[in-house]
Amino acid sequence: MRFLHTMIRVSSLTDTLHFFCDLLGFQEIKRSDNNTGRYTLVYLAAPEDVDTAARYAAPLIELTHNWDESSYAGGRNFGHIALSVDNIYDICKRLQKAGVIINRPPRDGYMAFVRTPDNISIELLQKGEPLPPQEPWISQENIGQW
């Protein structure tokens, strides 16, 4: 058995691609438009998975944009996507600077939660051992839900 991909429905490809590609560093691997079904599929791979994705078409995130849908209520997407990161503080700082709310700050130097433009939770996990706790993260409160 091999993990192939996770599909999430998105209301705006532009906003979601900005989040995943520009802010998190994912790369678009494949895209297909279906005029009859009125949807677009975009496959993304994390930076360290690009070679694996090209070879096996996995692991990937599939963004499904149904052209006639403007939003999705809870239950039409799912819990969260987990990503390992080299430096949880650096990525949270970059995301926060770009206007992304850090729903669960990395107070422990290990885990944080943010949300995509469609409110899908993304869990960020520090690779290896947790980083030493540091400000401003230690004293930041949770915001919203994750």
Side-chain angles (χ1 to χ4, degrees), residues 22 35 46 55 78 83 88 90 101-102 108 129 131 136:
D22 299 337
N35 292 322
R55 190 173 4 186
F78 63 96
L83 306 171
I88 197 157
D90 288 348
I101 293 171
I102 310 299
D108 54 5
E129 296 297 315
L131 298 179

Side-chain angles (χ1 to χ4, degrees), residues 62-111:
E62 172 191 323
L63 305 178
T64 297
H65 178 243
N66 294 298
W67 303 348
D68 300 322
E69 292 284 334
S70 60
S71 67
Y72 293 98
R76 297 282 318 267
N77 36 38
F78 63 96
H80 70 266
I81 297 169
L83 306 171
S84 64
V85 297
D86 289 327
N87 187 306
I88 197 157
Y89 296 136
D90 288 348
I91 194 160
C92 285
K93 182 178 178 181
R94 187 173 80 224
L95 291 169
Q96 193 172 52
K97 185 176 179 182
V100 174
I101 293 171
I102 310 299
N103 299 101
R104 194 275 192 194
R107 290 182 293 273
D108 54 5
Y110 180 70
M111 179 178 65

Side-chain angles (χ1 to χ4, degrees), residues 15 17 23 30 34 47 50 53 65 69 71 73 75 88 93 96 105 114 121 126 130 136 146:
D15 292 346
L17 287 171
L23 300 179
K30 180 180 171 186
N34 185 307
V50 171
H65 178 243
E69 292 284 334
S71 67
I88 197 157
K93 182 178 178 181
Q96 193 172 52
V114 298
S121 289
Q126 175 63 42
W146 62 89

Side-chain angles (χ1 to χ4, degrees), residues 27-30 43-46 48-60:
Q27 293 181 31
E28 184 174 324
I29 303 300
K30 180 180 171 186
Y43 291 90
L44 305 176
E48 292 181 18
D49 293 325
V50 171
D51 292 338
T52 303
R55 190 173 4 186
Y56 301 109
L60 301 168

Side-chain angles (χ1 to χ4, degrees), residues 10-58:
V10 303
S11 57
S12 169
L13 272 179
T14 301
D15 292 346
T16 304
L17 287 171
H18 171 68
F19 180 84
F20 279 104
C21 297
D22 299 337
L23 300 179
L24 291 177
F26 277 71
Q27 293 181 31
E28 184 174 324
I29 303 300
K30 180 180 171 186
R31 179 186 291 238
S32 65
D33 292 317
N34 185 307
N35 292 322
T36 304
R38 300 189 47 72
Y39 64 86
T40 300
L41 303 179
V42 178
Y43 291 90
L44 305 176
E48 292 181 18
D49 293 325
V50 171
D51 292 338
T52 303
R55 190 173 4 186
Y56 301 109

